[in-house]
C-alpha cells in the first residue's frame, strides 16, 4: 500500500464514466483518518465551482493515486501507432497517435473521448505504470524500445 504525505504531488485516476483512462494532477491535503487508506486531494486544474475560483477537493482511495511520472531519460521520437498519454481537457488521457502533421503536431485518437484531436509534441508522453512503488514501462513501450535497438 502506498503512503502519501500532505503536500505530496500526485496524479489521480477515476473510474467515473467519461473519465476512465485519465489522470489529473493534484496535491495531497491530508489522510482522511489515521487508520484509513483514503486521502483528501486538491486538484490543480479542476474546480469545485462554476466560477473557477475554488479548486476541487476529493477524498480518494490510495489505489486511485500515483506520483507524477518521471520525465523521460531521453527525448522521445513519437511516431504513428505509438500508445501515448495526451494532455487534453486539464488531464492526461490514454490514446494512440494516428497521424503526424507538420510543425511537431500529431493526430491522437483519445479513447476516453472517442475522438481524434491534434496536439503538439509537448502535450504527449509515453505511458508508464506505477507498480508496487516503482515506475515500469508499459508492454508497448518495452516492445518499441526493442525495435529501436
Amino acid at each position: 500500500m502506498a503512503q502519501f504525505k500532505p503536500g505530496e504531488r500526485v496524479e489521480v485516476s477515476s473510474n467515473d464514466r467519461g473519465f476512465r483512462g485519465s489522470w489529473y494532477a493534484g496535491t495531497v491535503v491530508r489522510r482522511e483518518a489515521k487508520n484509513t487508506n483514503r486521502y483528501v486531494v486538491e486538484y490543480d486544474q479542476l474546480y469545485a465551482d462554476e466560477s473557477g475560483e475554488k479548486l476541487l477537493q476529493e477524498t480518494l482511495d490510495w489505489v486511485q493515486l500515483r506520483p507524477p511520472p518521471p520525465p523521460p531519460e531521453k527525448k522521445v521520437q513519437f511516431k504513428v501507432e505509438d500508445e501515448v498519454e495526451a494532455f487534453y481537457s486539464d488531464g492526461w488521457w490514454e490514446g494512440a497517435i494516428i497521424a503526424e502533421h507538420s510543425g511537431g503536431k500529431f493526430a491522437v485518437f483519445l479513447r476516453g473521448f472517442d475522438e481524434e484531436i491534434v496536439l503538439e509534441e509537448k502535450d504527449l508522453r509515453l505511458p508508464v505504470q506505477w507498480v508496487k512503488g516503482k515506475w515500469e514501462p508499459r508492454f508497448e513501450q518495452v516492445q518499441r524500445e526493442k525495435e529501436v535497438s
Side-chain angles (χ1 to χ4, degrees), residues 4-10 26-31 39-40 42:
F4 297 99
K5 296 177 177 58
E8 190 170 346
R9 304 284 302 140
V10 292
T27 303
V28 173
V29 175
R30 68 180 182 280
R31 197 173 201 163
Y39 295 86
V40 176
E42 182 174 87

Side-chain angles (χ1 to χ4, degrees), residues 56-93:
L56 177 64
Q57 288 189 0
E58 282 190 307
T59 302
L60 303 157
D61 195 72
W62 70 274
V63 297
Q64 293 175 268
L65 306 177
R66 69 180 189 185
E73 292 178 12
K74 57 186 177 187
K75 182 166 174 32
V76 177
Q77 298 295 317
F78 292 106
K79 62 183 184 344
V80 174
E81 296 185 5
D82 277 350
E83 294 288 321
V84 294
E85 289 181 352
F87 192 77
Y88 180 71
S89 193
D90 300 325
W92 291 97
W93 292 83

Side-chain angles (χ1 to χ4, degrees), residues 90-142:
D90 300 325
W92 291 97
W93 292 83
E94 292 179 352
I97 295 175
I98 56 175
E100 186 172 348
H101 294 276
S102 61
K105 295 185 178 183
F106 296 87
V108 178
F109 179 78
L110 297 178
R111 292 180 187 90
F113 286 92
D114 195 26
E115 68 180 72
E116 173 188 329
I117 60 168
V118 176
L119 295 168
E120 295 180 29
E121 185 176 7
K122 69 176 180 59
D123 294 322
L124 302 176
R125 67 184 186 192
L126 291 175
V128 289
Q129 297 175 340
W130 182 245
V131 179
K132 296 182 181 178
K134 65 179 184 174
W135 287 107
E136 293 184 359
R138 289 187 30 189
F139 176 75
E140 299 89 3
Q141 188 176 346
V142 171

Side-chain angles (χ1 to χ4, degrees), residues 47-54:
Y47 293 90
D49 58 359
E50 295 280 328
S51 65
E53 293 180 22
K54 182 171 174 43

